[in-house]
Amino acid sequence: MDITELKEAIVKQIKQVYDPEIPVDIYELGLIYEINVNEENHHVHVLMTLTAPACPAAEFIPQEVKDKVSELEEVEHVEVELTFEPAWDKEMMSEEAQLELGFM
């Protein structure tokens, strides 16, 4: 599996993670800012945010992302970094998510 395919597989795994209060996966919500894969050792770094710093799901969503990405056989190590810069807003959602939530 090349890096492009691996990144696609990682996105597919992340799309299985949902904020329990919103019926859209966190990728489509725009909570994933970056996915970086080291080509040599397949270490993955995910930079993400939450809808709000006080989000009640803050305790488990990053861990769920780590767990889902770690399920991929090709991934050696996963680091999930949480940031609030820039702050998330609804403009970061995909069109699909905006339609699902009635913003379009």
Side-chain angles (χ1 to χ4, degrees):
M1 179 179 292
D2 69 21
I3 293 300
T4 301
E5 292 171 326
L6 181 54
K7 282 187 177 181
E8 288 171 4
I10 291 167
V11 168
K12 188 175 179 180
Q13 289 296 104
I14 291 172
K15 284 185 169 194
Q16 295 177 46
V17 179
Y18 286 76
D19 182 313
E21 298 175 354
I22 305 170
V24 176
D25 71 76
I26 65 167
Y27 189 84
E28 296 298 333
L29 277 176
L31 299 182
I32 303 298
Y33 288 168
E34 292 178 15
I35 299 171
N36 295 303
V37 180
N38 181 306
E39 290 188 47
E40 292 176 22
N41 60 18
H42 288 188
H43 286 201
V44 176
H45 178 262
V46 178
L47 181 64
M48 65 173 292
T49 194
L50 299 169
T51 54
C55 176
E59 292 182 27
F60 65 86
I61 288 181
Q63 184 62 49
E64 192 173 348
V65 168
K66 183 176 182 174
D67 293 347
K68 286 292 183 188
V69 175
S70 294
E71 289 176 6
L72 293 169
E73 197 174 295
E74 298 81 5
V75 172
E76 295 294 322
H77 175 79
V78 181
E79 177 186 351
V80 177
E81 181 182 349
L82 202 53
T83 185
F84 293 100
E85 294 296 324
W88 179 87
D89 70 40
K90 67 182 183 186
E91 298 302 316
M92 295 174 168
M93 289 189 287
S94 68
E95 284 186 21
E96 177 184 316
Q98 289 183 28
L99 281 170
E100 178 75 27
L101 297 174
F103 292 124
M104 290 184 79

